[in-house]
Amino acid sequence: MDMNNNIETAWYYHNGTKHPNGILLSRPHYYDPTHRPIPYKIYKEIYTVALPSLKSPTNFPALKAISVNIKPEREQIPDINTLASILYFSGGITKTIKFPRIREFEFRAASCTGALYHIEIYVVCKDIAGLQAGIYHFDPKQMKLDLLKSGDYRGVLVRASGYDGVAKHTPLILVYTDIFSRNTVKYRAREYRHAFWDCGTILANTLAISTAHGLSSKIIAGFVDESVNSLLGLNHEKEVSLVLVPIGFADSVSDEVPDVSPLRLQTEPLSNYDIDYPEISEMHNASSLRSVKEVQSWHGKTPKMTIPNAENLVSLSPFTKDNLPQNHIEQVIIKRGSTRVFSHQSISFEQLSGIIYYSTQGIAADFLEPYGSTLVDLYMIVNAVDGLKSGSYVYSKNQNGLQMLRAGEFRHVAGNLGLDQDLPADASVDIFLMSDLNAVLKRFGNRGYRAAQLEAGIIMGRFYLASYAQKLGVTGLTFYDDSVTSFFSPHAKDKSAMLLVAIGKKRSLS
């Protein structure tokens, strides 16, 4: 049996990182935020390309940007200005705040657990207007590209992807990586969950801003890990590739696979926190694919996760094209943040409908075939939504409605499930993203664990954008795993919690 199909590794990791008593979280631990690792990868003595200042915004409505999928069927080749926009609104610095005891804190375009920013972005491209073919690293601090190697190496990624049809026709591919120790400094072994949550929120921005620029994009989670890590010159014990994202469409096919010589580039230490968690490396290795043949056999149809049809559903009432909020995607990303205090005020049913409907439209991904498939179901606790009774619900995507599971006031339950925090208790609605890991792992092996967490992270990222487009507050939270399943059972008895997102109206602290 190959390592990916030995799914006991995924179950051991998942169960071992559950709150409150996961065995992999038992190591004594203390986190001092003043010792936060430097959240930037810094190359020494390297040629750089300054990214141009951002031009006029697209004025593309945020809710439309997160829900529209542009097909790769005509020439779509971005220039360096468009690439700069995609990179900035995916992972650039959007605001700087000074906190007591901590130096100035630079927040980025997408949410990240603990604001520890452990996800890096690389660019592999052919010649495009303003930028020569090469392998680049995105430096958000200086808004520049570090040139790692000149030349067109897209073919290496195309082969690593199992010769994905979209990747073969793309002018550029973004590669997202994870530096373990930047996040383990606070979250210990649970970091590997966070890797895909935080990569997912960035991807939500990437997909949306690409759509706003009229560019197709796709998420590729199945690839030969070692080929990608080697191309980027990663120290795979410290930093690993997570996802490939081809952007745009070129008529010519990128099928030439050049020889790859090792990169021997020097960097500053990736983190000043250097305690390893071998269980993370074990999980990553066990979910790695090792050959093109294995990648190709990994691809295929997604297992069905359809919620059974139910009677007495409350049909969603999302905005129509005529009354869609017009806040454009760039404006929403700039204003986005994680809400720290919610009021108990109600949100409207139309607002909740818009968040759910537009955030759950299809994601173009190699593990979500056919388009519109999903590995994630939405369960929720409604505390204060005008026109909707308080209680617990599940979203039926195929019926576009909410099925009540239990009526009642559950603010205290939401607070308890959300690690005994006030935020979920105070929010108007708490959405729990859950997945049938038995079905996911049976179909995709250990790598399915990556996929389920990643999709949940993308949906959470869309929740952020959809909420801020309507001037609502939102924050992602962790949870007591088995208690979430128990609360929503028997309906959710075979499902595992991936993420919790609290949504509501922000309370002023003044």
Side-chain angles (χ1 to χ4, degrees):
M1 178 181 294
D2 62 79
M3 292 181 68
N4 185 56
N5 287 322
N6 182 13
I7 61 174
E8 291 304 313
T9 305
W11 281 119
Y12 176 73
Y13 176 81
H14 181 68
N15 291 327
T17 54
K18 286 181 176 180
H19 285 309
N21 298 313
I23 191 172
L24 299 182
L25 301 178
S26 60
R27 185 188 302 185
H29 179 264
Y30 170 75
Y31 172 63
D32 182 345
T34 62
H35 296 157
R36 171 178 176 257
I38 296 173
Y40 303 104
K41 186 174 184 180
I42 302 172
Y43 284 87
K44 298 179 180 179
E45 299 178 357
I46 197 166
Y47 178 80
T48 64
V49 178
L51 289 167
S53 57
L54 301 180
K55 307 298 182 182
S56 301
T58 61
N59 294 320
F60 203 91
L63 289 181
K64 186 177 179 181
I66 67 174
S67 59
V68 171
N69 176 51
I70 295 178
K71 294 182 179 180
E73 55 189 11
R74 59 177 178 79
E75 192 90 336
Q76 307 163 3
I77 301 180
D79 60 14
I80 193 172
N81 294 296
T82 302
L83 176 59
S85 175
I86 293 170
L87 292 173
Y88 176 75
F89 288 108
S90 296
I93 298 169
T94 55
K95 58 180 70 74
T96 302
I97 300 176
K98 176 69 175 178
F99 291 100
R101 296 182 63 231
I102 306 176
R103 60 184 180 275
E104 284 190 336
F105 210 98
E106 294 164 331
F107 289 93
R108 301 198 198 172
S111 169
C112 179
T113 48
L116 292 166
Y117 304 117
H118 51 127
I119 306 299
E120 299 285 336
I121 306 177
Y122 297 79
V123 180
V124 180
C125 66
K126 75 182 194 73
D127 288 336
I128 62 174
L131 188 67
Q132 294 182 343
I135 304 171
Y136 299 89
H137 166 258
F138 173 52
D139 179 351
K141 177 75 170 177
Q142 304 297 332
M143 268 304 285
K144 65 183 182 182
L145 295 174
D146 302 315
L147 176 61
L148 308 187
K149 181 179 287 191
S150 296
D152 187 353
Y153 288 88
R154 290 173 299 152
V156 176
L157 298 182
V158 171
R159 181 176 62 183
S161 73
Y163 298 98
D164 179 89
V166 172
K168 287 195 293 186
H169 283 276
T170 189
L172 67 87
I173 300 174
L174 302 184
V175 185
Y176 298 70
T177 71
D178 175 35
I179 297 176
F180 300 140
S181 57
R182 284 197 203 147
N183 199 262
T184 57
V185 66
K186 182 175 183 179
Y187 297 105
R188 299 172 287 168
R190 203 170 165 94
E191 188 276 347
Y192 200 64
R193 297 191 188 204
H194 296 189
F196 296 96
W197 299 355
D198 296 333
C199 187
T201 60
I202 297 172
L203 287 170
N205 287 18
T206 302
L207 301 181
I209 200 68
S210 296
T211 291
H213 282 286
L215 298 168
S216 61
S217 56
K218 178 184 179 179
I219 294 164
I220 297 176
F223 53 86
V224 181
D225 294 72
E226 180 56 31
S227 296
V228 179
N229 293 341
S230 296
L231 179 67
L232 303 180
L234 306 184
N235 175 356
H236 65 268
E237 294 181 356
K238 305 292 183 182
E239 180 182 7
V240 296
S241 51
L242 301 178
V243 173
L244 313 179
V245 180
I247 294 177
F249 181 82
D251 290 330
S252 59
V253 175
S254 175
D255 54 4
E256 181 179 346
V257 182
D259 292 333
V260 178
S261 57
L263 288 174
R264 294 185 172 87
L265 301 172
Q266 298 297 312
T267 67
E268 298 290 344
L270 296 180
S271 172
N272 54 356
Y273 176 84
D274 204 30
I275 298 177
D276 291 327
Y277 286 80
E279 48 270 29
I280 293 176
S281 295
E282 179 182 353
M283 178 61 201
H284 187 74
N285 291 334
S287 59
S288 293
L289 304 178
R290 289 167 169 78
S291 69
V292 171
K293 183 178 180 180
E294 190 176 359
V295 171
Q296 291 172 334
S297 65
W298 186 82
H299 289 144
K301 287 189 176 181
T302 304
K304 289 187 177 181
M305 300 284 173
T306 305
I307 297 288
N309 287 347
E311 298 179 354
N312 301 318
L313 262 72
V314 181
S315 297
L316 293 188
S317 180
F319 302 100
T320 65
K321 292 181 180 179
D322 295 332
N323 66 352
L324 195 71
Q326 292 302 301
N327 293 319
H328 61 72
I329 186 63
E330 294 94 342
Q331 179 185 30
V332 168
I333 290 174
I334 291 294
K335 290 184 175 180
R336 185 216 61 80
S338 291
T339 301
R340 297 274 65 94
V341 183
F342 287 109
S343 72
H344 281 213
Q345 290 178 283
S346 298
I347 65 173
S348 71
F349 182 60
E350 188 178 43
Q351 287 175 317
L352 176 61
S353 296
I355 292 168
I356 295 172
Y357 177 79
Y358 287 101
S359 297
T360 56
Q361 297 305 296
I363 299 170
D366 63 347
F367 58 89
L368 297 175
E369 299 286 353
Y371 179 77
S373 301
T374 184
L375 302 178
V376 175
D377 293 323
L378 307 185
Y379 289 79
M380 60 197 74
I381 294 176
V382 171
N383 296 320
V385 177
D386 292 333
L388 191 62
K389 293 181 180 179
S390 297
S392 62
Y393 292 81
V394 62
Y395 173 52
S396 175
K397 184 177 179 181
N398 60 313
Q399 293 178 283
N400 195 33
L402 300 179
Q403 176 189 352
M404 176 177 273
L405 302 178
R406 199 180 347 165
E409 298 289 337
F410 296 123
R411 283 192 184 274
H412 68 290
V413 175
N416 172 253
L417 295 180
L419 232 59
D420 295 311
Q421 298 178 80
D422 291 334
L423 279 164
D426 294 336
S428 298
V429 61
D430 297 292
I431 304 179
F432 296 82
L433 292 83
M434 304 188 72
S435 184
D436 182 351
L437 285 183
N438 288 296
V440 172
L441 297 177
K442 181 179 180 181
R443 168 61 189 84
F444 291 116
N446 290 316
R447 205 175 187 91
Y449 191 74
R450 301 189 192 185
Q453 298 284 9
L454 183 67
E455 186 189 354
I458 294 170
I459 295 172
M460 177 172 71
R462 287 180 168 182
F463 283 161
Y464 267 96
L465 300 176
S467 298
Y468 267 77
Q470 301 177 72
K471 301 181 179 179
L472 297 176
V474 58
T475 193
L477 297 164
T478 194
F479 42 83
Y480 291 122
D481 295 69
D482 291 339
S483 295
V484 173
T485 300
S486 177
F487 176 73
F488 289 107
S489 289
H491 197 285
K493 65 181 178 65
D494 296 321
K495 297 176 184 177
S496 300
M498 299 288 101
L499 266 171
L500 161 58
V501 184
I503 299 169
K505 291 187 177 180
K506 292 177 281 188
R507 192 178 83 198
S508 173
L509 297 179
S510 60

